[in-house]
Amino acid sequence: MKVMLLGAALALALPGAALAKVTAVEDLRRGMAVTVEGTVERITDEDEFLLADASGRVLVYIGSNAMPVRDGEKIRVAGRVDDDGPLEIYATEITLETGQTVVLSYRY
């Protein structure tokens, strides 16, 4: 029920939020393009944070971009699940609680 309420709240608060299918963390598979929503559990490094939903947690990598989120913030992340190494999402776009969308550029 909490996941449904969070999804409904984000759909109202975030522009275009109802357009993308949201994938639960437990359903992530390597190499897939995903949209995940949840709460920033903690920032783990200057280029990575831990995102949690009701089904689990996943690392989100943002590359050389400035950290756009803060601990405890409810967000939506679009990106691709890394195809090797630890399970993590390479984020391409993050929608914040405020409705602002941050597009991430990459320089690996």
Side-chain angles (χ1 to χ4, degrees):
M1 184 67 168
K2 289 181 182 179
V3 172
M4 289 173 50
L5 291 175
L6 173 62
L10 284 171
L12 291 174
L14 305 177
L19 300 177
K21 179 181 181 265
V22 175
T23 302
V25 169
E26 68 183 355
D27 295 330
L28 296 178
R29 300 295 175 259
R30 297 191 180 286
M32 70 189 293
V34 295
T35 298
V36 178
E37 57 188 34
T39 303
V40 177
E41 194 166 272
R42 68 185 161 93
I43 296 171
T44 58
D45 203 346
E46 63 188 22
D47 59 1
E48 194 170 63
F49 61 90
L50 192 59
L51 183 72
D53 72 5
S55 71
R57 299 186 278 168
V58 65
L59 289 170
V60 177
Y61 177 73
I62 64 163
S64 60
N65 299 279
M67 183 61 66
V69 301
R70 63 185 189 286
D71 289 352
E73 187 172 13
K74 290 177 180 36
I75 62 169
R76 175 176 279 232
V77 175
R80 182 163 297 278
V81 181
D82 190 9
D83 56 4
D84 63 1
L87 188 67
E88 69 180 334
I89 297 171
Y90 281 40
T92 56
E93 186 176 284
I94 298 174
T95 304
L96 307 174
E97 281 181 322
T98 62
Q100 175 188 3
T101 299
V102 179
V103 177
L104 304 170
S105 61
Y106 285 99
R107 292 175 198 89
Y108 296 112

